[in-house]
Amino acid sequence: MEEGKRKIDKISMIVMIVLIVLLLPVLIVNLTLIVKGSIHPDTPPDVFGVAPLAVTSGSMDGNREDSFAKGALIFVKLLDEEEKQTLAEGDVITFRTSGAFVTHRIVSVFRDESGKIVSLVTQGDANNATDGAIVLENVVGKCVGSVGGLGDFAMFMQTPVGILVFVGIPVLLYIAYDVSRVMIFNKRAKSDKSAELQEKDAEIERLRALVEKQGIQEGSEQKEEQQEETQPPQSESGTISEKKGE
């Protein structure tokens, strides 16, 4: 019975550790993105220089290797001014336009007399028309990867319900686990204490019975000694008379 409880405790602890290991990084990343997005609305919120963005349209749903569909989660590496000068046709970039971020492919590059890039023309893989010229200062980063279907999940995580699911539930589970662990520990401690007291009581009863038994034995021995002392001594006159008669 005790071994079964210990196994259940170990399994519960392992499950909680796994949940914490899986959900804690997700929680930290999600909170980081929410805070950065609120502080710097003109730049996609990033983690270590890479911004995850959810795709909300099918404009890049094409046949090319780096194309992606609606609902995907793309990873955009934020670029500084020097890195922007390395962009070329075929790269997929993210830029600001009308208060939103758009990720399309570069189809042409415009340079000034010194050879520096000043603007880019982009177009979605599924679109028939270009987006027009995008000034370089509006470019925020370059797409370096994507995961299909993960964008919807990422958007859900930033909703109040998503935050409740991935923040509230783990916290409640941890509190419930900690409370149950304390209760089980206290119950086990009381049980151990009760068992210890029972053992002590049994030992006291055993010693008491032993003392009583020894007392009874000593009493019976004393009675036997008293009886021996009260017996009259045998007379020797009969023996003398018998000798005289002889």
Side-chain angles (χ1 to χ4, degrees):
M1 186 68 178
E2 193 68 23
E3 291 182 1
K5 289 182 178 179
R6 289 179 180 176
K7 288 182 179 179
I8 293 174
D9 291 344
K10 288 182 179 180
I11 292 172
S12 301
M13 184 177 293
I14 291 172
V15 171
M16 286 303 303
I17 291 173
V18 171
L19 287 175
I20 291 172
V21 169
L22 292 177
L23 295 179
L24 188 59
V26 176
L27 173 61
I28 294 173
V29 170
N30 195 34
L31 292 177
T32 300
L33 295 178
I34 292 173
V35 171
K36 283 191 172 183
S38 301
I39 297 175
H40 304 289
D42 294 335
T43 304
D46 68 284
V47 179
F48 301 116
V50 177
L53 297 176
V55 180
T56 58
S57 74
S59 61
M60 281 295 292
D61 191 357
N63 297 322
R64 304 184 67 164
E65 184 178 355
D66 54 354
S67 298
F68 45 82
K70 180 181 178 180
L73 182 69
I74 62 174
F75 301 95
V76 178
K77 182 182 182 300
L78 302 185
L79 303 177
D80 56 26
E81 294 303 319
E82 184 177 349
E83 291 173 324
K84 291 179 183 180
Q85 292 297 323
T86 64
L87 294 173
E89 292 183 11
D91 290 339
V92 179
I93 63 169
T94 298
F95 56 91
R96 291 186 302 270
T97 178
S98 302
F101 296 106
V102 177
T103 303
H104 282 168
R105 192 179 304 279
I106 299 174
V107 293
S108 59
V109 177
F110 292 97
R111 300 176 183 272
D112 60 12
E113 296 178 354
S114 63
K116 289 185 178 180
I117 299 175
V118 291
S119 64
L120 305 162
V121 177
T122 59
Q123 181 177 342
D125 290 354
N127 294 348
N128 296 322
T130 67
D131 305 312
I134 308 298
V135 294
L136 196 63
E137 65 181 15
N138 286 341
V139 176
V140 295
K142 176 181 177 181
C143 180
V144 293
S146 64
V147 179
L150 197 58
D152 294 334
F153 176 73
M155 292 183 66
F156 169 74
M157 284 177 54
Q158 297 187 14
T159 63
V161 176
I163 294 174
L164 176 63
V165 170
F166 286 93
V167 178
I169 292 179
V171 170
L172 291 176
L173 286 174
Y174 178 78
I175 292 174
Y177 166 75
D178 194 51
V179 171
S180 63
R181 182 178 61 83
V182 172
M183 291 177 64
I184 291 172
F185 176 79
N186 291 336
K187 185 177 180 181
R188 186 176 296 167
K190 289 181 180 179
S191 177
D192 293 341
K193 188 175 181 181
S194 177
E196 184 179 354
L197 290 174
Q198 289 178 358
E199 290 179 0
K200 288 183 178 179
D201 290 341
E203 182 66 17
I204 292 172
E205 290 296 329
R206 188 183 69 80
L207 292 174
R208 183 179 297 170
L210 183 61
V211 170
E212 290 178 354
K213 184 178 179 180
Q214 289 178 348
I216 293 172
Q217 289 177 351
E218 291 177 357
S220 61
E221 291 176 356
Q222 288 178 357
K223 285 182 180 179
E224 290 177 357
E225 290 177 357
Q226 289 176 358
Q227 288 177 358
E228 290 178 356
E229 291 176 355
T230 55
Q231 288 180 359
Q234 293 183 354
S235 175
E236 298 180 355
S237 57
T239 307
I240 295 171
S241 302
E242 290 175 358
K243 288 182 179 181
K244 286 181 179 182
E246 292 178 355

